[in-house]
């Protein structure tokens, strides 16, 4: 099964990001606002029914950290501007890298290691499509938790199921 740890984007930020997806043309597939997140670690083929160590790891790491501010400034493309496949929002918070490293260094199972680049995916390109001009904004929120999420791929796109939310120390357990 596909699992990932992520910080889910709060609804008030989703509501501010969703309108910029209206700039998409052609074969871009927008991410549904309620599925927007920042991936911290991704395990593309984790064994079914063996998530207990991942749940315990999430508990341990969340108890060592306080919530922190995440800043969103504007948009960009992966893998590059010339032939983009993903349109995303840049995120800024050093804690994201720290938590990702804490998780991936303690996961006793192969995870996808493409190098950590904190971002929120807004859309994926499924064929020819024009790029959207850079969108600039200044949004912030205080992250209160992260989650272990199960991803199921379907023809209409992935669906996510939150298996457990891990609140940071200052937001209680």
């Amino acid at each position: 099964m596909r699992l990932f740890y992520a910080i889910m984007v709060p609804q008030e930020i989703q509501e501010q990001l969703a309108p910029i997806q209206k700039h998409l043309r052609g074969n871009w597939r927008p991410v549904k606002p309620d599925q927007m997140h920042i991936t911290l670690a991704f395990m593309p083929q984790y064994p079914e029914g063996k998530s207990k160590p991942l749940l315990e790891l999430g508990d341990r790491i969340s108890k060592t950290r306080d919530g922190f501010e995440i800043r969103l400034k504007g948009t960009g493309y992966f893998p590059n501007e010339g032939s983009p496949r993903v349109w995303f929002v840049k995120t800024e918070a050093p804690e994201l890298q720290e938590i990702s490293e804490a998780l991936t260094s303690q996961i006793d199972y192969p995870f996808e290691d493409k190098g950590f680049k904190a971002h929120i995916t807004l859309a994926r390109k499924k064929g020819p499509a024009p790029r959207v001009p850079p969108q600039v904004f200044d949004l912030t929120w205080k992250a209160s938790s992260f989650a272990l999420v199960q991803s199921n791929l379907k023809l209409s796109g992935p669906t996510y199921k939150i298996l457990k939310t891990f609140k940071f120390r200052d937001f209680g357990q």
Side-chain angles (χ1 to χ4, degrees), residues 20-70:
I20 68 172
Q21 293 175 310
K22 293 181 179 164
H23 296 282
L24 295 168
R25 301 288 179 264
N27 291 311
W28 285 103
R29 181 183 293 174
V31 171
K32 295 176 184 170
D34 65 342
Q35 293 188 344
M36 292 179 180
H37 64 273
I38 302 168
T39 301
L40 299 168
F42 179 67
M43 289 125 319
Q45 295 185 353
Y46 198 81
E48 195 81 36
K50 303 278 185 182
S51 61
K52 184 177 177 187
L54 298 179
L55 298 171
E56 292 171 350
L57 176 60
D59 279 334
R60 278 195 316 271
I61 289 178
S62 67
K63 290 177 182 171
T64 65
R65 300 203 163 260
D66 289 332
F68 55 91
E69 185 175 274
I70 298 175

Side-chain angles (χ1 to χ4, degrees), residues 48-144:
E48 195 81 36
K50 303 278 185 182
S51 61
K52 184 177 177 187
L54 298 179
L55 298 171
E56 292 171 350
L57 176 60
D59 279 334
R60 278 195 316 271
I61 289 178
S62 67
K63 290 177 182 171
T64 65
R65 300 203 163 260
D66 289 332
F68 55 91
E69 185 175 274
I70 298 175
R71 179 174 297 277
L72 310 178
K73 290 260 184 187
T75 59
Y77 292 99
F78 288 134
N80 56 55
E81 290 279 333
S83 56
R85 290 192 309 262
V86 172
W87 184 45
F88 67 92
V89 176
K90 301 169 189 172
T91 62
E92 295 177 3
E95 293 88 347
L96 294 169
Q97 176 85 34
E98 295 168 9
I99 295 169
S100 176
E101 288 175 3
L103 290 166
T104 56
S105 68
Q106 297 178 53
I107 294 172
D108 192 22
Y109 197 81
F111 61 92
E112 187 175 79
D113 188 13
K114 292 182 176 178
F116 182 73
K117 295 179 184 172
H119 68 279
I120 300 167
T121 298
L122 291 172
R124 291 180 178 81
K125 193 167 132 183
K126 299 297 177 187
R131 285 176 285 164
V132 178
Q135 305 293 304
V136 179
F137 38 82
D138 190 15
L139 302 172
T140 61
W141 89 87
K142 187 169 181 180
S144 62

Side-chain angles (χ1 to χ4, degrees), residues 136-157:
V136 179
F137 38 82
D138 190 15
L139 302 172
T140 61
W141 89 87
K142 187 169 181 180
S144 62
S145 64
F146 65 97
L148 181 62
V149 182
Q150 182 176 349
S151 170
N152 295 308
L153 293 178
K154 298 183 176 188
L155 290 177
S156 59

